Amino acid sequence: MKKTISTCLLCCALSTPTSFAGEYSGWGNLHFDYQAWGHGVSDSEFDQALIGIEGGFNFEWGELFGFYDFEGLDRDSGEQTATYNLQAHTYIGNSGASIFSKVYSSHGTEIKETNSFLGFGYTDISGDGWWFTPWVAGNYTTVYNEFADITNVNGFNGATLGWSAGYVFEAFGKPFLLSNWTEIEMFRNNEYAHNNYGSTGVNGGLNLGMDITKNINATVMYRYYYNKLGADGYGDIMIYRLAYKF
C-alpha cells in the first residue's frame, strides 16, 4: 500500500479507511450540497442543491476515486444535471510514478460535456497526515452547449496539469481535513478556447472538513475557476456539505 489516506477531489474520510482482507482500503460518503454562487467574490445569483455519492479505494496496484452528483433538486423536473467523475492512478512498479486516467462528464438539458484524460502522475509525495499528488494528461473533449457560439466541440483539447493535496489535523478535539484540488487547462483547441474565453483555464477547490461524529462530516468548500464554467475571467462558488460517511 502506498499510503493510508486516499487522494481525493472534494473531501475524504478523516478516520482510518476501511480495510478488506488486507488487500485494499477504502472510504465513501453520501452527501447533500448547497452551492451558493453568490457567496464568493464574483457576482452571480445562481444557487442549487444536490445529492451525491463519493468514494475512493487504495489497492496494491493503484488508487481509484469517483463521485456521482444529481444537481438541481430545487429546480423544476427536467432541469436537473447529472455529473460524474471517475479517475485512477495505476502504479508503475515501485517508482512512485503512475499512469493517470480520468473521465469527467456533466449532462443537462442544454449542456453536455465529457472530458477524457490520459497521462502520468506521481503518488509518493506524502508525510505524516499530508499528501500531494500531481498529474499531467492530454484531454479529449466532447461538448454540446446551446449557450455557446459554437454549439458542438469534439476532439483533442490540449493538456491539463492537475493535483490533489490534503492535510489532516486536530483542533478543538475534532479531526479536520484541509484539502485542495486544481486543474490548469492549457493549449485548448480553437473552438473550445473561443467558447471559454481563452486557450488557458483553471478549475479547482479549497476545502475544510470536520468530523462532527464518527459518521457525520461537515465541509465548507471554496470553488474557484477562471475562463471555465461559462465565466469570462475569474469566478467562484461557496459549497456547504453535510455527509454521511461509510
Side-chain angles (χ1 to χ4, degrees), residues 204-235:
L206 179 64
N207 317 307
L208 180 63
M210 180 188 74
D211 277 356
I212 300 173
T213 69
K214 179 180 179 180
N215 296 109
I216 303 298
N217 174 273
T219 301
V220 177
M221 310 175 190
Y222 179 71
R223 182 84 157 76
Y224 52 85
Y225 48 92
Y226 177 81
N227 291 352
K228 188 72 175 178
L229 303 184
D232 181 3
Y234 188 80

Side-chain angles (χ1 to χ4, degrees), residues 6-242:
S6 301
T7 58
C8 62
L9 292 183
L10 293 180
C11 70
C12 300
L14 302 186
S15 56
T16 303
T18 303
S19 296
F20 299 86
E23 296 178 358
Y24 61 91
S25 62
W27 61 273
N29 69 58
L30 296 170
H31 53 262
F32 172 84
D33 290 3
Y34 187 77
Q35 299 179 345
W37 292 57
H39 286 190
V41 300
S42 59
D43 184 16
S44 176
E45 299 299 326
F46 179 75
D47 296 345
Q48 71 170 357
L50 66 84
I51 57 172
I53 186 169
E54 177 185 39
F57 290 95
N58 287 347
F59 298 86
E60 292 294 334
W61 53 264
E63 305 169 11
L64 299 177
F65 168 79
F67 69 81
Y68 176 88
D69 287 339
F70 184 72
E71 304 167 346
L73 298 177
D74 48 344
R75 298 200 296 268
D76 293 336
S77 178
E79 297 181 0
Q80 286 74 32
T81 302
T83 299
Y84 68 84
N85 179 89
L86 298 172
Q87 69 182 55
H89 285 274
T90 303
Y91 301 143
I92 302 176
N94 295 316
S95 66
S98 66
I99 297 173
F100 177 80
S101 54
K102 170 176 171 169
V103 176
Y104 178 90
S105 184
S106 185
H107 281 211
T109 304
E110 297 154 322
I111 301 175
K112 300 175 177 63
E113 178 168 345
T114 299
N115 294 274
S116 301
F117 302 86
L118 183 62
F120 296 95
Y122 193 78
T123 63
D124 267 1
I125 306 174
S126 62
D128 185 14
W130 67 270
W131 71 91
F132 176 77
T133 305
W135 55 269
V136 62
N139 180 7
Y140 189 94
T141 301
T142 300
V143 183
Y144 169 76
N145 186 345
E146 290 187 1
F147 300 108
D149 292 337
I150 305 172
T151 305
N152 292 283
V153 177
N154 185 23
F156 181 72
N157 195 24
T160 299
L161 171 66
W163 64 79
S164 62
Y167 174 61
V168 177
F169 63 96
E170 285 197 7
F172 312 109
K174 295 288 185 179
F176 285 79
L177 170 64
L178 179 66
S179 63
N180 171 250
W181 67 275
T182 299
E183 297 175 357
I184 304 171
E185 300 176 358
M186 304 169 289
F187 318 116
R188 290 165 164 171
N189 67 39
N190 292 335
E191 293 83 3
Y192 196 88
H194 175 82
N195 286 345
N196 289 274
Y197 308 101
S199 60
T200 301
V202 178
N203 203 15
L206 179 64
N207 317 307
L208 180 63
M210 180 188 74
D211 277 356
I212 300 173
T213 69
K214 179 180 179 180
N215 296 109
I216 303 298
N217 174 273
T219 301
V220 177
M221 310 175 190
Y222 179 71
R223 182 84 157 76
Y224 52 85
Y225 48 92
Y226 177 81
N227 291 352
K228 188 72 175 178
L229 303 184
D232 181 3
Y234 188 80
D236 57 4
I237 316 166
M238 292 300 299
I239 304 175
Y240 309 98
R241 168 172 294 186
L242 189 64

